[in-house]
Amino acid sequence: MFDTPVLSLDGIVDSLPAAEKARFERIYALTATVGELRVPETMQPWVEQQFGSLDAVTRQKIVRVTNKLTGEETLFSKLRASRPQDTGTVDVELAYSDATDFFSRPYDSTPEDVFGRVVGKHCVTASNVAKFDSFHGLLVFNDFNPLDFTRAQIIDYIDVAREWALKAHQTQPEAKYFALIWNCLWRAGASIGHGHAHVMLTGGRHYARIERLRRAAVSYRQDNGGNYFDDLFRCHQAVGCALKRDGVGIMAYLTPFKDKEVIIMADELSQSFKEKVYEVLACFRDKLGVASFNLGLVTPPLAPTEESWQDFPVMVRVVDRGNPHHRASDVGGMEVYAASVVSSDPIEITGELAKWLPEEVDNG
C-alpha cells in the first residue's frame, strides 16, 4: 500500500489528547477506506514501472476529510500523483503572450477607473475592460513574468490593491467588501501571460464563498463559544499541519480545493503578514516546484456592516494548479459536482514550510 503521513491522519487524530480530539471533531469529520483491485498479468509490468509496485495499486488507502461547518471536503489519494500525463508546448505559448503584450503599455492599452490609477513601485492599476462587478480592476505588474516576483514586489502588490480598494470605497461608500485574486499563468485561469491580479470591491454582501465562511464562524461561536479561526488553526497544529511565524498563522489546509493549498491568517494586514505571503509563495516556487497558482486575499469589510464579522481575520489562500506542461485539467467533475481529490500531503507540505520559513527568535 502506498503510504504517506496524511493517510495516517485517522490514527493521528485518535491519538490526540481528549480535548484536542474533541476540538478536531467539532470541525471535521474523517473517514478512511481501502480500495482494492486485481491487476491482470499483461498490465503488471506497466503498473510496476508507473507506480513502483503492485502492492501500491492493489490496496489503496483513501482518507476523506470534511469540514462540517463550511461543507468543504477533500479525498486524499497519494497514488493519483503518479498517473500518466500528456504534455504541451509551454515555451511557444509564453513567446506568443510576450509578442501580444498589451500590459507592457498599461497607460496606453488599458482603461483606468473613474477615480484614476493607483501607481506603485512595481505595478499600476487599470480598470478591467470585461468586468464581473461594478468595481473590478487589475494590478498590472511592471515585470512580464509573474514568477519572477521578489519580496518588495509582493508587498507592493498588496499595498497598491489596498489603496485601490480605499479609493473605490470613497467613490461608492456602500461598496465595502474587498478581495484580491491572482491567477498565475493560464493553467490557473489567466487569459494574458503578463503578470497581473484582479481587485474587486462589492456591495450588499461579500461573495458567496466568503460569506459562507463568515456564517460558519458566527455559527461556531454561537454553538461553541469560541473563535472558529483560532480553533481551526489549533486543529491543524495538533495534527502537524500548521505553524506560526511572527504572529502569522500558516496552515497546509486539511480540506484543500486542490494540491498544496495553504492558508495564511493574521489579525490585520500587517507588514509581517505581507512578508509571510511572500515567503510562502517563494517556498511554492523555489522549493515545492509550483509554476502556476491561484491566490486569494480577503479582509474584513472596509466599513461597518449590519452582519457580524467578529473573529474574521485577514486571510490569503494559495493553491497549486499543477504543471503548466500538462494538457489535462487538474479540475474535473469531482471538484465541480462532488468533492476535491488531492494527491499532495498537507503534513509533508508543512514540514517543507517549516524548513523554509525561519523560526522566531526569542530575545526575552
Side-chain angles (χ1 to χ4, degrees), residues 32-310:
T33 59
V34 174
E36 298 181 291
L37 54 80
R38 299 176 190 155
V39 179
E41 289 186 13
T42 54
M43 191 181 178
Q44 288 177 7
W46 177 84
V47 167
E48 290 174 340
Q49 180 181 8
Q50 186 71 36
F51 298 101
S53 71
L54 286 177
D55 289 343
V57 171
T58 55
R59 284 180 56 81
Q60 303 177 37
K61 186 174 181 180
I62 312 296
V63 169
R64 178 180 180 182
V65 184
T66 308
N67 186 313
K68 297 187 289 187
L69 285 93
T70 65
E72 297 164 302
E73 182 173 83
T74 299
L75 301 162
F76 288 99
S77 172
K78 187 69 174 179
L79 206 63
R80 291 186 65 80
S82 302
R83 291 176 299 156
Q85 297 278 356
D86 194 9
T87 60
T89 53
V90 174
D91 292 340
V92 172
E93 293 177 78
L94 275 174
Y96 176 77
S97 297
D98 195 20
T100 58
D101 183 15
F102 293 106
F103 286 173
S104 65
R105 307 175 305 280
Y107 293 96
D108 299 326
S109 300
T110 67
E112 66 177 48
D113 287 295
V114 294
F115 50 81
R117 298 183 190 270
V118 179
V119 181
K121 293 180 181 178
H122 301 285
C123 66
V124 62
T125 65
S127 189
N128 200 314
V129 72
K131 295 182 181 297
F132 53 68
D133 212 332
S134 55
F135 285 106
H136 176 196
L138 297 171
L139 303 180
V140 180
F141 303 166
N142 292 354
D143 285 355
F144 170 80
N145 189 337
L147 289 171
D148 284 345
F149 56 80
T150 65
R151 184 183 302 269
Q153 288 171 335
I154 295 300
I155 292 170
D156 187 61
Y157 300 160
I158 295 173
D159 288 342
V160 170
R162 179 70 172 180
E163 186 175 346
W164 176 92
L166 293 173
K167 285 183 176 293
H169 176 62
Q170 290 171 359
T171 303
Q172 186 175 314
E174 58 269 29
K176 60 187 73 170
Y177 303 97
F178 167 63
L180 177 154
I181 299 292
W182 180 4
N183 303 321
C184 184
L185 296 180
W186 56 89
R187 178 84 179 181
S191 59
I192 294 176
H194 187 123
H196 66 286
H198 297 256
V199 283
M200 297 82 68
L201 193 72
T202 196
R205 61 191 177 282
H206 221 313
Y207 297 111
R209 291 179 181 171
I210 302 164
E211 172 63 12
R212 181 176 63 188
L213 181 58
R214 182 198 69 80
R215 293 187 183 190
V218 170
S219 175
Y220 187 83
R221 176 167 285 283
Q222 290 172 345
D223 294 341
N224 301 287
N227 183 322
Y228 167 75
F229 298 101
D230 286 349
D231 281 1
L232 183 72
F233 180 83
R234 292 188 184 104
C235 286
H236 283 74
Q237 199 170 40
V239 298
C241 291
L243 51 91
K244 185 161 282 192
R245 295 289 187 269
D246 300 326
V248 178
I250 302 167
M251 305 182 295
Y253 202 35
L254 282 170
T255 50
F257 175 69
K258 288 305 296 180
D259 291 291
K260 304 183 185 75
E261 185 168 21
V262 170
I263 294 181
I264 308 164
M265 299 189 302
D267 293 335
E268 58 183 353
L269 195 61
S270 63
Q271 182 70 14
S272 178
F273 177 84
K274 291 177 280 190
E275 296 263 359
K276 294 302 169 286
V277 173
Y278 163 75
E279 289 164 14
V280 169
L281 287 175
C283 182
F284 266 45
R285 178 191 62 191
D286 301 333
K287 179 64 176 178
L288 300 179
V290 174
S292 183
F293 57 82
N294 294 112
L295 179 147
L297 183 153
V298 178
T299 70
L302 303 184
T305 61
E306 293 183 5
E307 73 278 9
S308 172
W309 286 82
Q310 183 180 3

Side-chain angles (χ1 to χ4, degrees), residues 335-357:
E335 285 77 18
V336 175
Y337 298 118
S340 293
V341 179
V342 166
S343 60
S344 63
D345 187 321
I347 299 175
E348 292 179 345
I349 293 165
T350 305
E352 295 297 335
L353 287 168
K355 289 185 285 186
W356 185 267
L357 277 70

Side-chain angles (χ1 to χ4, degrees), residues 10-17 21:
D10 51 334
I12 294 172
V13 172
D14 282 342
S15 66
L16 291 175
K21 183 179 180 182

